[in-house]
Amino acid sequence: MIRLLNADFTRLRKNKLFWLLSIFSIGLALFMIYTQYSDMKKYGEVIETEQLMINYSTIVGIVIAIFTSLFLGVEYSDGAIRNKISIGHKRTNIYLSNLVITTITSLFSYLLFLVIVSSIGIPLFGGITMSISKLLKLLGCIFVTIIAYVSIFTFLAMIISNKTITAIVTIMLAFGMMFYSLMAFDRLSQPEYIDTMIMKDGVQEIINTKNNHYLEGEKRKLIQLSIDIVPAGQMF
């Protein structure tokens, strides 16, 4: 297991995809800071640094899907897994080694994003306004969600031998979970009652009526449960 990890870390350091992921994290942080700073100067908006810290989490599933599928897909296309098995490594150890590598890489990319946002955002926009305990809980939730994403995509990358199919499946799944969570949150956020304008004796009146789109009972519980299970549901 240790030898597998050493070999995978060596491959990771030489992998262009890893460095592209790092550059992307830095670039995204700088882009967000720039756009928010421009809005602050133009419109006088109050920018919260902690909000910038968690913005990356909305797309992190897609980023992890791309990295995991391409990085681990090479294991099959280059025959690396076959070679590892032939020299005596167990499939379980190979899987765990890949899981550890992709988890560390994904967490590192987010931590890199946090460092850039914190080091530049705090001097520009001011200190953290949220309580530290609440911020740590949010960051902890994001870290756990990242691990959940990595676990799902690593599993798929290890059972699908074709790199192209792996990339398509994982990326589509990431988008699917994200859009489903957005739609589910939209349904759950519907108010139970809404104001409706009617005409009565030639006079407009506003009455409070039941919202037909409001979810109730078991259906609401089921939608809420699905959001709690899907990793993307923790990001909104």
Side-chain angles (χ1 to χ4, degrees), residues 50-61:
E50 59 267 30
Q51 185 60 47
L52 290 177
M53 291 181 176
I54 61 178
N55 279 348
Y56 188 20
S57 61
T58 56
I59 63 167
V60 71

Side-chain angles (χ1 to χ4, degrees), residues 69-85:
S69 61
L70 297 180
F71 182 75
L72 296 184
V74 177
E75 293 275 284
Y76 280 108
S77 61
D78 290 357
I81 288 184
R82 183 175 62 252
N83 293 336
K84 289 176 181 178
I85 294 174

Side-chain angles (χ1 to χ4, degrees), residues 56-127:
Y56 188 20
S57 61
T58 56
I59 63 167
V60 71
I62 299 169
V63 175
I64 294 173
I66 295 172
F67 172 78
T68 304
S69 61
L70 297 180
F71 182 75
L72 296 184
V74 177
E75 293 275 284
Y76 280 108
S77 61
D78 290 357
I81 288 184
R82 183 175 62 252
N83 293 336
K84 289 176 181 178
I85 294 174
S86 65
I87 61 176
H89 291 296
K90 296 180 180 179
R91 292 180 181 271
T92 303
N93 290 340
I94 296 172
Y95 176 81
L96 291 176
S97 177
N98 287 334
L99 181 62
V100 169
I101 292 295
T102 49
T103 299
I104 291 175
T105 304
S106 300
L107 290 174
F108 171 77
S109 68
Y110 182 61
L111 288 172
L112 186 60
F113 173 85
L114 287 180
V115 169
I116 300 299
V117 168
S118 301
S119 59
I120 300 177
I122 291 177
L124 284 178
F125 308 125

Side-chain angles (χ1 to χ4, degrees), residues 5 21 23 31 35-36 44 57 106 121 155 160-161 198 202 216 229:
L5 286 172
L21 178 62
I23 293 171
F31 175 75
T35 54
Q36 294 299 310
S57 61
S106 300
F155 172 75
I160 302 174
S161 59
I198 63 170
E216 294 183 288
I229 293 174

